Amino acid sequence: MQQWAQQAAVPPVHVRREGRSQDLWEAALTLFAERGYRGTTTRDLARELGMRAPSLYNHMRSKQEVLRDIMFTTMERALEAQREALEGTDAAAEQLRRVSEAHARLVIRHRREVLITHREVPSLGEEDRAVISGKQRKYVRVLRAIIERGLAAGRFDVESPLVAAFAVLEMLNGLEKWYRETGRHSEDDVVRQYGDFALGIARTKESRRGSVTGI
Amino acid sequence: MQQWAQQAAVPPVHVRREGRSQDLWEAALTLFAERGYRGTTTRDLARELGMRAPSLYNHMRSKQEVLRDIMFTTMERALEAQREALEGTDAAAEQLRRVSEAHARLVIRHRREVLITHREVPSLGEEDRAVISGKQRKYVRVLRAIIERGLAAGRFDVESPLVAAFAVLEMLNGLEKWYRETGRHSEDDVVRQYGDFALGIARTKESRRGSVTGI
DNA sequence: CCTACCGATCGGTAGG
DNA sequence: CCTACCGATCGGTAGG
C-alpha cells in the first residue's frame, strides 16, 4: 500500500489541515460558495487541484462529508466566538455589542463558510440538518437571553426579544452577501458599524412611531 | 392536436395563473424552497401534481424557466412595492419606515419566493444572473438614497449610507428564514417591529460607543 | 395526459 | 496518483 492510498482522517473541528487536504478544503469553499454544493461536481473539485476525480477520494470520504465538515466547523466557530465574546462583562448592552462585533468579524473572515452554511441546509441529509438546526437555535437562544436581560434592566426597548434576536442575527449574517475585501470598507470599520446597528435594533425606544414623525 | 398539447404561454410578471399552471407554480415554490432547485427533480414536481414528468412540459418550457419566472417576478414585486411605499411623503424617516414595512410584508407574504430568489442565484444561467443582480443593486440604491437624504437632513446618523442600506435590507430579508404563520407573531406586529428596527439602524447616534456604556 | 426512451452526467469503486 | 468503468438518475423528446 502506498502513501497516497491512505484515507485522510476525518478532521476534528479545529485541526489544521495540511497540503492536499488543505487545498481540497479551499477549493470546496470557493466552488461551493460560487456554484452551490449541487452545482459543483467532483470533476470540478479535482480540476481545481490538478487531478482527476477519483483521486479526490484519497483526501475525502465523500463530497457530502466535505459539506458537512464545512457546516459543522462553521457553526462551532460561531458558538465559540459567541462564548468568548460574553466573557468579561455582565452589562447586556456591552454583551450585545461584543457578540455582534465578534459575529460580524467571523462572517467577514469566513465569508464563504458562512454563506455555504446558510444556503446549503437543504443539501444535507436529515440527520445532519437536524444537528445544524440545533446549533443555530442554540445561537439564537443566547442572543435572545442577552436582549431579555437588557430589557429587564431597562437598557433595551423591544416588543419581542426573540424577534429582535433574529433581526440582529440575520442583519449580521447578511454581511456574507455583500462584503468583499476591497479596501473600500475596512474590516474594523464595518465591524464597528454593525455593532452600532445591533444596538440600534435593540434600543428602539427613540425610533418608535410618533416620536419619529414628531422629532 | 388536442387541447393539452398546447404550450403554456410564458406568463408575464403579474398575470394570474390558472388551473394546472397555478398548481405547477405552487408546487415549484414549495419544493424549490424546501429542497432547493437542484434538489427538486421534474419527477418530484410531477408527483406533486399527480402526473408523470413528461406531462409537465405541457405547462412549462423547462424547469429552468420556472425558476427564472419565480425570481424575476419576485424582484419586480419588490421594486414595485418599494416605489409604492415612497409615494405620499418626502420625509426620509417616514420613507425608510414605509419602505421597510412594505418589504417586511412582502417577505412574509411571499416567503418561499423570496427565499428561492436569494438562495438560487447560482442556479441561474449567466445572463439571468446578471439581470437579477442588476435588480438587486437597483433596490439597494433606492434604500441608500433614502438614508443619504435623511443623513443630509440631520435625521439619521450613520457612517456609511450604503453599509446601513445593506444592513437594513438583509435584516428584512432574514424574515424569510424564521417567519412562519403560526399566529405567535401576527404579520402586522412583526412588520411594525421591523420598521422600528430599520429606523434603529439608521438612527444610531444614541447607541454609539461611549454613550451606551455611559447611560 | 401517457409510455417508451435517450444522451449526458453524476458520485463513486476496482484495481493497479 | 491514474485509467477504466458502472449503476443511478437527470432533464427532456418522440409520438400518440
Tab-separated table of all heavy atoms in Angstrom, chain D residues 3-14:
chain	number	residue	atom	x	y	z
D	3	DT	P	-5.560	9.176	-16.584
D	3	DT	OP1	-5.081	9.765	-17.854
D	3	DT	OP2	-6.676	9.794	-15.858
D	3	DT	O5'	-5.938	7.644	-16.829
D	3	DT	C5'	-4.971	6.730	-17.318
D	3	DT	C4'	-5.619	5.367	-17.507
D	3	DT	O4'	-6.060	4.867	-16.207
D	3	DT	C3'	-6.857	5.367	-18.395
D	3	DT	O3'	-6.863	4.175	-19.180
D	3	DT	C2'	-8.011	5.404	-17.407
D	3	DT	C1'	-7.462	4.607	-16.236
D	3	DT	N1	-7.998	4.986	-14.906
D	3	DT	C2	-8.476	4.008	-14.061
D	3	DT	O2	-8.502	2.833	-14.370
D	3	DT	N3	-8.942	4.465	-12.848
D	3	DT	C4	-8.962	5.770	-12.404
D	3	DT	O4	-9.389	6.048	-11.304
D	3	DT	C5	-8.448	6.740	-13.345
D	3	DT	C7	-8.431	8.186	-12.963
D	3	DT	C6	-7.996	6.319	-14.537
D	4	DA	P	-7.986	3.987	-20.355
D	4	DA	OP1	-7.350	3.243	-21.469
D	4	DA	OP2	-8.615	5.306	-20.601
D	4	DA	O5'	-9.048	3.043	-19.643
D	4	DA	C5'	-8.598	1.907	-18.907
D	4	DA	C4'	-9.804	1.243	-18.259
D	4	DA	O4'	-10.082	1.892	-16.979
D	4	DA	C3'	-11.092	1.347	-19.085
D	4	DA	O3'	-11.703	0.073	-19.140
D	4	DA	C2'	-11.933	2.377	-18.318
D	4	DA	C1'	-11.470	2.155	-16.888
D	4	DA	N9	-11.649	3.314	-16.016
D	4	DA	C8	-11.393	4.626	-16.322
D	4	DA	N7	-11.654	5.451	-15.331
D	4	DA	C5	-12.110	4.621	-14.304
D	4	DA	C6	-12.541	4.887	-13.001
D	4	DA	N6	-12.586	6.114	-12.487
D	4	DA	N1	-12.919	3.825	-12.239
D	4	DA	C2	-12.871	2.599	-12.776
D	4	DA	N3	-12.474	2.234	-13.994
D	4	DA	C4	-12.106	3.303	-14.714
D	5	DC	P	-13.057	-0.183	-20.021
D	5	DC	OP1	-13.046	-1.595	-20.459
D	5	DC	OP2	-13.218	0.930	-20.994
D	5	DC	O5'	-14.173	-0.026	-18.897
D	5	DC	C5'	-13.913	-0.584	-17.596
D	5	DC	C4'	-14.970	-0.103	-16.630
D	5	DC	O4'	-14.623	1.196	-16.076
D	5	DC	C3'	-16.376	0.065	-17.238
D	5	DC	O3'	-17.253	-0.789	-16.551
D	5	DC	C2'	-16.716	1.530	-16.965
D	5	DC	C1'	-15.845	1.826	-15.749
D	5	DC	N1	-15.612	3.284	-15.492
D	5	DC	C2	-15.795	3.785	-14.200
D	5	DC	O2	-16.136	3.009	-13.303
D	5	DC	N3	-15.604	5.109	-13.971
D	5	DC	C4	-15.238	5.918	-14.967
D	5	DC	N4	-15.056	7.203	-14.692
D	5	DC	C5	-15.042	5.425	-16.288
D	5	DC	C6	-15.237	4.122	-16.516
D	6	DC	P	-18.628	-1.248	-17.244
D	6	DC	OP1	-18.478	-2.595	-17.855
D	6	DC	OP2	-19.135	-0.137	-18.082
D	6	DC	O5'	-19.536	-1.396	-15.970
D	6	DC	C5'	-18.950	-1.411	-14.643
D	6	DC	C4'	-19.922	-0.741	-13.699
D	6	DC	O4'	-19.503	0.607	-13.390
D	6	DC	C3'	-21.317	-0.619	-14.312
D	6	DC	O3'	-22.289	-0.941	-13.351
D	6	DC	C2'	-21.397	0.847	-14.702
D	6	DC	C1'	-20.576	1.496	-13.584
D	6	DC	N1	-20.058	2.840	-13.953
D	6	DC	C2	-20.108	3.871	-13.000
D	6	DC	O2	-20.552	3.643	-11.876
D	6	DC	N3	-19.648	5.105	-13.352
D	6	DC	C4	-19.169	5.303	-14.581
D	6	DC	N4	-18.720	6.526	-14.884
D	6	DC	C5	-19.102	4.271	-15.558
D	6	DC	C6	-19.560	3.061	-15.208
D	7	DG	P	-23.436	-1.970	-13.765
D	7	DG	OP1	-22.975	-3.320	-13.431
D	7	DG	OP2	-23.917	-1.622	-15.136
D	7	DG	O5'	-24.575	-1.560	-12.717
D	7	DG	C5'	-24.232	-1.388	-11.346
D	7	DG	C4'	-24.930	-0.152	-10.815
D	7	DG	O4'	-24.302	1.034	-11.339
D	7	DG	C3'	-26.408	-0.073	-11.207
D	7	DG	O3'	-27.130	0.251	-10.030
D	7	DG	C2'	-26.458	1.032	-12.267
D	7	DG	C1'	-25.282	1.917	-11.839
D	7	DG	N9	-24.653	2.698	-12.907
D	7	DG	C8	-24.342	2.272	-14.175
D	7	DG	N7	-23.742	3.204	-14.904
D	7	DG	C5	-23.658	4.291	-14.059
D	7	DG	C6	-23.101	5.585	-14.287
D	7	DG	O6	-22.555	6.030	-15.301
D	7	DG	N1	-23.235	6.393	-13.157
D	7	DG	C2	-23.813	6.006	-11.973
D	7	DG	N2	-23.840	6.920	-10.997
D	7	DG	N3	-24.332	4.803	-11.751
D	7	DG	C4	-24.211	4.004	-12.829
D	8	DA	P	-28.705	0.421	-10.069
D	8	DA	OP1	-29.257	-0.136	-8.825
D	8	DA	OP2	-29.220	0.005	-11.401
D	8	DA	O5'	-28.797	2.012	-9.973
D	8	DA	C5'	-27.920	2.691	-9.077
D	8	DA	C4'	-28.266	4.162	-9.084
D	8	DA	O4'	-27.506	4.826	-10.131
D	8	DA	C3'	-29.741	4.457	-9.346
D	8	DA	O3'	-30.183	5.405	-8.398
D	8	DA	C2'	-29.764	4.959	-10.793
D	8	DA	C1'	-28.366	5.577	-10.952
D	8	DA	N9	-27.837	5.510	-12.309
D	8	DA	C8	-27.904	4.439	-13.166
D	8	DA	N7	-27.335	4.665	-14.333
D	8	DA	C5	-26.865	5.968	-14.239
D	8	DA	C6	-26.168	6.785	-15.140
D	8	DA	N6	-25.812	6.399	-16.361
D	8	DA	N1	-25.850	8.024	-14.735
D	8	DA	C2	-26.209	8.416	-13.502
D	8	DA	N3	-26.865	7.725	-12.560
D	8	DA	C4	-27.166	6.499	-12.998
D	9	DT	P	-31.691	5.881	-8.397
D	9	DT	OP1	-32.030	6.183	-6.991
D	9	DT	OP2	-32.507	4.967	-9.238
D	9	DT	O5'	-31.585	7.269	-9.164
D	9	DT	C5'	-30.542	8.187	-8.820
D	9	DT	C4'	-30.518	9.288	-9.847
D	9	DT	O4'	-29.910	8.813	-11.062
D	9	DT	C3'	-31.915	9.787	-10.234
D	9	DT	O3'	-31.991	11.153	-9.903
D	9	DT	C2'	-31.985	9.544	-11.744
D	9	DT	C1'	-30.521	9.495	-12.125
D	9	DT	N1	-30.210	8.765	-13.377
D	9	DT	C2	-29.447	9.379	-14.334
D	9	DT	O2	-29.011	10.512	-14.219
D	9	DT	N3	-29.209	8.629	-15.457
D	9	DT	C4	-29.642	7.336	-15.699
D	9	DT	O4	-29.357	6.764	-16.746
D	9	DT	C5	-30.430	6.738	-14.646
D	9	DT	C7	-30.952	5.350	-14.810
D	9	DT	C6	-30.679	7.474	-13.545
D	10	DC	P	-33.350	11.950	-9.923
D	10	DC	OP1	-33.503	12.547	-8.599
D	10	DC	OP2	-34.410	11.081	-10.481
D	10	DC	O5'	-33.058	13.095	-10.975
D	10	DC	C5'	-31.789	13.758	-10.958
D	10	DC	C4'	-31.483	14.294	-12.332
D	10	DC	O4'	-31.051	13.217	-13.178
D	10	DC	C3'	-32.709	14.845	-13.048
D	10	DC	O3'	-32.877	16.206	-12.688
D	10	DC	C2'	-32.330	14.682	-14.516
D	10	DC	C1'	-31.287	13.583	-14.528
D	10	DC	N1	-31.675	12.344	-15.265
D	10	DC	C2	-31.232	12.162	-16.573
D	10	DC	O2	-30.550	13.056	-17.103
D	10	DC	N3	-31.564	11.023	-17.223
D	10	DC	C4	-32.301	10.094	-16.612
D	10	DC	N4	-32.600	8.983	-17.283
D	10	DC	C5	-32.772	10.275	-15.276
D	10	DC	C6	-32.447	11.402	-14.647
D	11	DG	P	-34.247	16.938	-13.023
D	11	DG	OP1	-34.275	18.148	-12.171
D	11	DG	OP2	-35.344	15.956	-12.984
D	11	DG	O5'	-34.050	17.379	-14.537
D	11	DG	C5'	-33.018	18.271	-14.890
D	11	DG	C4'	-33.041	18.484	-16.384
D	11	DG	O4'	-32.877	17.190	-17.028
D	11	DG	C3'	-34.353	19.060	-16.913
D	11	DG	O3'	-34.048	19.991	-17.949
D	11	DG	C2'	-35.114	17.829	-17.409
D	11	DG	C1'	-33.989	16.902	-17.871
D	11	DG	N9	-34.312	15.479	-17.701
D	11	DG	C8	-34.913	14.894	-16.623
D	11	DG	N7	-35.090	13.604	-16.751
D	11	DG	C5	-34.572	13.319	-17.995
D	11	DG	C6	-34.478	12.078	-18.693
D	11	DG	O6	-34.858	10.965	-18.326
D	11	DG	N1	-33.889	12.229	-19.947
D	11	DG	C2	-33.421	13.423	-20.443
D	11	DG	N2	-32.870	13.376	-21.661
D	11	DG	N3	-33.499	14.583	-19.809
D	11	DG	C4	-34.085	14.460	-18.591
D	12	DG	P	-35.205	20.802	-18.708
D	12	DG	OP1	-34.628	22.013	-19.298
D	12	DG	OP2	-36.384	20.891	-17.820
D	12	DG	O5'	-35.543	19.806	-19.899
D	12	DG	C5'	-34.488	19.469	-20.803
D	12	DG	C4'	-34.971	18.399	-21.741
D	12	DG	O4'	-35.199	17.166	-21.027
D	12	DG	C3'	-36.283	18.715	-22.463
D	12	DG	O3'	-35.996	18.895	-23.846
D	12	DG	C2'	-37.156	17.493	-22.204
D	12	DG	C1'	-36.155	16.437	-21.762
D	12	DG	N9	-36.717	15.398	-20.902
D	12	DG	C8	-37.270	15.537	-19.643
D	12	DG	N7	-37.706	14.411	-19.146
D	12	DG	C5	-37.430	13.463	-20.126
D	12	DG	C6	-37.680	12.068	-20.159
D	12	DG	O6	-38.217	11.366	-19.303
D	12	DG	N1	-37.248	11.488	-21.357
D	12	DG	C2	-36.645	12.182	-22.387
D	12	DG	N2	-36.307	11.476	-23.449
D	12	DG	N3	-36.399	13.490	-22.368
D	12	DG	C4	-36.817	14.060	-21.220
D	13	DT	P	-37.155	19.223	-24.898
D	13	DT	OP1	-36.591	20.235	-25.799
D	13	DT	OP2	-38.437	19.443	-24.217
D	13	DT	O5'	-37.254	17.836	-25.705
D	13	DT	C5'	-36.056	17.225	-26.174
D	13	DT	C4'	-36.427	16.011	-27.000
D	13	DT	O4'	-36.852	14.942	-26.124
D	13	DT	C3'	-37.577	16.230	-27.988
D	13	DT	O3'	-37.200	15.620	-29.217
D	13	DT	C2'	-38.763	15.542	-27.326
D	13	DT	C1'	-38.093	14.415	-26.562
D	13	DT	N1	-38.799	13.938	-25.350
D	13	DT	C2	-39.076	12.592	-25.225
D	13	DT	O2	-38.795	11.771	-26.080
D	13	DT	N3	-39.708	12.246	-24.059
D	13	DT	C4	-40.077	13.078	-23.020
D	13	DT	O4	-40.637	12.642	-22.019
D	13	DT	C5	-39.753	14.470	-23.212
D	13	DT	C7	-40.104	15.456	-22.157
D	13	DT	C6	-39.128	14.833	-24.360
D	14	DA	P	-38.178	15.767	-30.498
D	14	DA	OP1	-37.321	15.995	-31.681
D	14	DA	OP2	-39.246	16.726	-30.170
D	14	DA	O5'	-38.825	14.312	-30.618
D	14	DA	C5'	-38.021	13.174	-30.355
D	14	DA	C4'	-38.795	11.915	-30.711
D	14	DA	O4'	-39.471	11.412	-29.531
D	14	DA	C3'	-39.892	12.091	-31.762
D	14	DA	O3'	-39.952	10.907	-32.547
D	14	DA	C2'	-41.145	12.298	-30.921
D	14	DA	C1'	-40.878	11.413	-29.717
D	14	DA	N9	-41.448	11.874	-28.449
D	14	DA	C8	-41.504	13.163	-27.987
D	14	DA	N7	-42.052	13.271	-26.804
D	14	DA	C5	-42.376	11.960	-26.460
D	14	DA	C6	-42.983	11.410	-25.314
D	14	DA	N6	-43.373	12.132	-24.267
D	14	DA	N1	-43.159	10.060	-25.296
D	14	DA	C2	-42.755	9.336	-26.351
D	14	DA	N3	-42.175	9.750	-27.480
D	14	DA	C4	-42.017	11.094	-27.469
